[in-house]
Amino acid sequence: MARFTKGQCQPCPVRTRCTTSRESARNVGFPPRELRDLQLRVRAEQQTPDWQTRYAVRSGVESTINEFAHGHGMRRCRYRGQPKAHLQHIFTAIAVNIERLSGLPPNGETPLPRPSTAFQNFLDQHEIPRPKSWRATTG
C-alpha cells in the first residue's frame, strides 16, 4: 500500500488522471507479484478466440441461471427437504421451457425480432449507430 499526503497530491501535474477527489490524498494498493502476474496472464488469455468461444457458452448458461434466480424466485426454496426442493427445481425448469417454447412461432418458422427498447429507439431517433452486439468493441 502506498499512501500519499495531501501536500504530495495537490501540486502533482497528473493528479486529475490519478484521482477525482479535490480534498483528500491518494492511497494506492499493489497486489503481490504472484497475483499481479496471474491477473496479467488471465487478462491476456481472455483476448484469445478460444477463451471467448468458451465464455459465450458460459454467458448463455449464466443468463438462464439469472432468469431462474430473479424471474422465478429460485434463490429460496418454498419447501423443506432435498426431495421437495429438487421437485421445485424440476417443475420450475419445465415451466421456463414451456414459457420459452410458447414464444416461438409454430412449424419452426423464424421468430419475429423482439421489439426495440426505449434506449434503442432513442439511439435510432438521434441517428447514433449501435452495434449488433453491445459487447462488440468499436475501434
Side-chain angles (χ1 to χ4, degrees):
M1 180 70 77
R3 300 178 193 275
F4 298 94
T5 65
K6 201 186 288 189
Q8 291 171 320
C9 279
Q10 292 293 343
C12 181
V14 290
R15 185 171 195 283
T16 56
R17 291 179 26 203
C18 184
T19 182
T20 57
S21 173
R22 296 179 189 195
E23 301 281 328
S24 64
R26 174 78 192 241
N27 295 330
V28 181
F30 298 99
R33 182 178 298 278
E34 298 82 24
L35 180 58
R36 178 69 179 145
D37 292 344
L38 177 64
Q39 284 177 331
L40 291 173
R41 190 178 79 237
V42 168
R43 287 177 182 160
E45 181 183 329
Q46 290 175 352
Q47 303 306 315
T48 63
D50 181 45
W51 187 92
Q52 291 176 355
T53 302
R54 286 192 332 260
Y55 187 77
V57 172
R58 178 181 169 179
S59 68
V61 170
E62 286 182 1
S63 66
T64 301
I65 291 171
N66 185 48
E67 179 183 351
F68 273 84
H70 295 278
H72 302 282
M74 294 299 291
R75 289 224 183 265
R76 299 201 193 291
C77 287
R78 295 176 182 217
Y79 309 103
R80 291 180 185 233
Q82 191 172 4
K84 291 180 192 174
H86 181 67
L87 275 176
Q88 178 187 352
H89 295 157
I90 290 173
F91 289 147
T92 305
I94 291 169
V96 168
N97 285 337
I98 291 171
E99 184 179 48
R100 288 180 177 180
L101 289 172
S102 68
L104 296 176
N107 303 329
E109 299 171 13
T110 56
L112 297 172
R114 294 195 305 194
S116 297
T117 64
F119 182 65
Q120 291 168 337
N121 290 335
F122 173 82
L123 292 177
D124 293 341
Q125 288 171 359
H126 291 85
E127 297 179 357
I128 299 171
R130 57 181 166 109
K132 187 172 185 179
S133 169
W134 291 106
R135 291 184 183 156
T137 56
T138 56

